[in-house]
Amino acid sequence: MSELTDARYPFTAVVGMDDLRLGLLLNAVSPAVGGVLVRGEKGTAKSTMVRALAGLLPSIATVAGCRFACDPLSPDAQCPDGPHAGEASAERPAFLVELPVGVSEDRVVGALDLERALAEGVKAYEPGLLAKAHRGVLYIDEVNLLQDHLVDLLLDAAAMGRSYVEREGVSVRHAARFLLVGTMNPEEGELRPQLLDRFGLTVEIAATRDADERAEVVRRRLAYDADPAGFAASWAAREQELAERIGTARELLPSVELSDLALRQITAVCAAFEVDGLRADIVMARTAVALAAWAGRTEVLEEDVRKAAQLALPHRRRRNPFDAPGLDQEQLDRTLAEHRDPGDEDPDGDGPDDGGPGDGGPGGGGSPAPSEPDEPAATGSSEDAPAAPPRQRPGGTKASSPVAADRPYRTRLFKVDGTGRGAQGRRSPAETDAGHTVRARRPQGRLARLHLSATLRAAAPHQVARGRAGRALVLRRDDLREQVRRGRESNLVLFVVDASGSMAARQRMTAVKGAVLSLLMDAYQRRDKIGMVTFRGSGAELALPPTSSVEVGAARLEQLPTGGRTPLEAGLLRAHEVLRVERLRDPDRRALLVVVTDGRATGARDALARSHRAAGLLAAQGVAAVVLDCESGPVRLGLARELAAHLNGDAVSLDELRADGVAALVRETRSTMTRTTTRKAA
């Protein structure tokens, strides 16, 4: 075990959190499991446990002077600092590398060493964080806020155990095997299902509701704050014992046998839960083997398969973006029973205690055993949640009960015109840190992304005049050029939903909610922030402040009641105020206003004219707008399209919203044009 040089909070001193503790330790035993994604509310010791884990990992032997931590016994043949043959070795602790949310791609994978390239005229590679994390821990706090292309890059490296760098004339490959740990608060937005699948295990955590456990947490934290070194020393023996157990389990791991029976149970469970692909089967198998090694056994038992399923499958069960992760325990037990050896005498599947952390044995850290909960644990499912208290209706208007939404579908792409500079996403054109380079320009402020070839071209004509001698290039600040990259940004999609009596027909509101739910799913996939204003009765309310959690928007939509008058003006004015505040908070994030209404306005005598004036305020601010026309029936007034004209936006009917409906319209139009052309030619 590495020495406690920084008096970090001891891993064994954390109270409770048994699943998180086990998930981290299994990855320490077998990094091939693929890392852990920790989902939970703020203030639940997620970061504390991850940082403490690094102190338990065994020290590693490296080739002296190698920047890529090559193992002297089996050095990487492709190491940029190699080849290594007979070089001296050195021992150091395994590094914990933390990846900040605002990190650049160059910092992650490494890049051309510009200082040497410009001063010495040589092409050299400067390693990134992936090289530093090799044979250690890579920790990503708030992984759901990291840019998607960086998450893809990190997970690819974790899966392959190697980093590939092809950029700026540099071609480098180096080993990058690390324990990957990501933490996130689901309230701040979800990871895409494709990225969730790349994490080996997932753990849901929440602060304990047991008063004694909470008191123990506070007691230990206060003791640590008062004397960090002394507190760490008091837990040193337990830390050493747990570190030795990790080492023993690592040595035992190659000897663990995965029987055909256990393998059939693993594949049967994955098939029963309809998990996409085969990654889940592989992760479950590796996790079950690691569980057996951690328990000191050389055979995988059914209890290992069950626990592996509980850790490896919940985040792979999402069938659409609004499904909460989870696992049906009854279905799991039933599937295991169906594929159990007839001679098995443990029909309940309880099995012997695996001796895992939290049971009072090695690694338990002296944490009190969690008591049986008095109520079901929260699963994130709306069906398990208590019924929401009745909300105050605007103007005291009686509201009809909420209706369910139609199934979501793929919608047309709506985007903001022009080129923005907002956070990277997948909706509107923008200048972004990622994307493809379209041109070079003089730096605007601090140089962020050097355009090397453009810089060299700018400096080349002046080398003689500047008295260049040797290979070093003589540069001036005026020579520097930066890259301009073109990609796509995420936007703030603000929904303004008419919940008045004119929308209250159950069949109609079901279709409207289905359309809004589809647009919410589209916003989720394009990494947008969303907000929701609803209006009915005598006023409007901000039902959902702008957030990255689209799941919350879907839940608010599900509970939306209807009835009363149609204060369209109030809804538009409330939207105007929300957008004004958001512009102050995040000036670079552009907004897309989606008004869901039939265009009617009631209340004052001139309600419609007042609504149009409110729409003019939004148009004057340059807000991009789309009106989802919910008018139906044989006789239509066209009020929604008139509102869209005052917003300087587009009006789209419910039928036109579907992406497949647009494609069918294009095909029909093309077919008509072809038939017309054929008749004329004949």
Side-chain angles (χ1 to χ4, degrees), residues 130-460:
L130 289 182
K132 186 177 181 181
H134 180 46
R135 304 174 67 194
V137 181
L138 182 65
Y139 173 45
I140 314 170
D141 195 14
E142 306 294 353
V143 63
N144 51 326
L145 303 182
L146 200 64
Q147 295 182 13
D148 283 350
H149 75 287
L150 292 179
V151 178
D152 286 327
L153 186 154
L154 291 166
L155 295 178
D156 283 342
M160 295 185 295
R162 186 163 292 275
S163 176
Y164 296 85
V165 184
E166 300 284 348
R167 56 191 306 141
E168 298 169 343
V170 174
S171 179
V172 173
R173 299 183 180 186
H174 65 83
R177 292 185 297 275
F178 43 79
L179 196 168
L180 177 65
V181 183
T183 60
M184 60 175 285
N185 182 351
E187 294 178 356
E188 297 173 343
E190 281 283 1
L191 278 173
R192 301 199 317 268
Q194 304 95 305
L195 301 182
L196 279 172
D197 184 54
R198 301 302 293 271
F199 278 94
L201 310 180
T202 187
V203 177
E204 294 273 349
I205 62 173
T208 178
R209 300 297 184 258
D210 183 270
D212 292 336
E213 283 195 27
R214 295 174 76 98
E216 183 63 22
V217 171
V218 175
R219 186 178 297 112
R220 294 184 186 182
R221 184 67 204 193
L222 293 177
Y224 172 78
D225 291 341
D227 182 10
F231 185 83
S234 68
W235 289 86
R238 294 181 180 88
E239 294 282 285
Q240 183 66 37
E241 184 180 2
L242 186 56
E244 291 174 355
R245 185 176 176 185
I246 293 173
T248 301
R250 282 186 170 186
E251 294 175 358
L252 184 62
L253 189 68
S255 304
V256 176
E257 178 186 355
L258 180 65
S259 66
D260 289 341
L261 174 62
L263 182 57
R264 282 198 303 273
Q265 285 186 318
I266 288 171
T267 55
V269 167
C270 291
F273 283 100
E274 300 180 352
V275 177
D276 295 333
L278 294 173
R279 183 176 287 115
D281 306 63
I282 297 171
V283 170
M284 268 193 67
R286 291 171 174 168
T287 305
V289 169
L291 280 162
W294 178 249
R297 290 185 267 100
T298 57
E299 181 185 2
V300 173
L301 304 180
E302 182 177 311
E303 66 194 74
D304 301 321
V305 176
R306 175 182 285 102
K307 192 62 183 179
Q310 293 169 349
L311 292 172
L313 295 188
H315 59 303
R316 295 181 168 92
R317 281 283 296 146
R318 295 167 62 93
R319 308 313 300 172
N320 69 60
F322 304 129
D323 288 342
L327 205 64
D328 186 333
Q329 296 298 324
E330 291 184 3
Q331 183 181 1
L332 174 60
D333 292 339
R334 187 167 56 250
T335 304
L336 290 173
E338 290 172 355
H339 295 80
R340 183 178 293 142
D341 189 328
D344 192 342
E345 297 182 0
D346 183 24
D348 294 328
D350 294 327
D353 187 4
D354 65 2
D359 63 356
S367 303
S371 59
E372 288 293 323
D374 295 327
E375 56 186 356
T379 62
S381 169
S382 60
E383 296 178 359
D384 298 329
R391 293 187 299 170
Q392 179 67 36
R393 311 303 182 197
T397 306
K398 183 179 180 180
S400 62
S401 59
V403 298
D406 270 345
R407 290 182 60 85
Y409 47 82
R410 191 165 62 91
T411 67
R412 291 173 53 180
L413 169 61
F414 299 105
K415 56 187 179 182
V416 181
D417 292 336
T419 303
R421 299 177 60 87
Q424 184 183 355
R426 308 180 74 186
R427 184 175 295 278
S428 303
E431 292 182 4
T432 61
D433 292 336
H436 60 282
T437 301
V438 293
R439 60 188 176 89
R441 69 182 177 196
R442 293 181 183 274
Q444 298 180 351
R446 179 179 174 272
L447 178 64
R449 299 176 301 273
L450 179 71
H451 196 300
L452 183 58
S453 59
T455 298
L456 296 178
R457 286 195 299 270

Side-chain angles (χ1 to χ4, degrees), residues 346-580:
D346 183 24
D348 294 328
D350 294 327
D353 187 4
D354 65 2
D359 63 356
S367 303
S371 59
E372 288 293 323
D374 295 327
E375 56 186 356
T379 62
S381 169
S382 60
E383 296 178 359
D384 298 329
R391 293 187 299 170
Q392 179 67 36
R393 311 303 182 197
T397 306
K398 183 179 180 180
S400 62
S401 59
V403 298
D406 270 345
R407 290 182 60 85
Y409 47 82
R410 191 165 62 91
T411 67
R412 291 173 53 180
L413 169 61
F414 299 105
K415 56 187 179 182
V416 181
D417 292 336
T419 303
R421 299 177 60 87
Q424 184 183 355
R426 308 180 74 186
R427 184 175 295 278
S428 303
E431 292 182 4
T432 61
D433 292 336
H436 60 282
T437 301
V438 293
R439 60 188 176 89
R441 69 182 177 196
R442 293 181 183 274
Q444 298 180 351
R446 179 179 174 272
L447 178 64
R449 299 176 301 273
L450 179 71
H451 196 300
L452 183 58
S453 59
T455 298
L456 296 178
R457 286 195 299 270
H462 309 292
Q463 295 306 296
V464 175
R466 294 173 182 174
R468 174 183 173 182
R471 301 179 64 184
L473 195 66
V474 182
L475 286 178
R476 300 286 186 266
R477 181 166 183 80
D478 289 343
D479 300 328
L480 298 178
R481 299 292 184 270
E482 69 178 1
Q483 300 175 26
V484 177
R485 296 180 180 177
R486 182 65 55 84
R488 286 186 288 176
E489 67 178 358
S490 63
N491 298 117
L492 167 61
V493 181
L494 181 62
F495 293 90
V496 181
V497 182
D498 184 348
S500 65
S502 66
M503 303 281 288
R506 301 186 74 85
Q507 190 88 15
R508 183 179 181 189
M509 200 60 194
T510 295
V512 169
K513 282 190 174 183
V516 177
L517 187 63
S518 302
L519 289 168
L520 282 171
M521 182 180 294
D522 181 69
Y524 167 85
Q525 294 167 342
R526 301 188 187 282
R527 313 302 289 168
D528 295 317
K529 289 182 68 174
I530 60 121
M532 187 181 300
V533 171
T534 62
F535 60 94
R536 54 174 294 275
S538 60
E541 63 175 329
L542 181 59
L544 178 67
T547 176
S548 296
S549 182
V550 181
E551 290 83 355
V552 178
R556 298 290 170 85
L557 178 68
E558 182 181 355
Q559 300 166 5
L560 180 66
T562 57
R565 295 181 176 180
T566 312
L568 177 57
E569 178 196 12
L572 296 175
L573 290 177
R574 188 62 186 271
H576 181 271
E577 176 62 17
V578 171
L579 294 178
R580 184 189 68 80

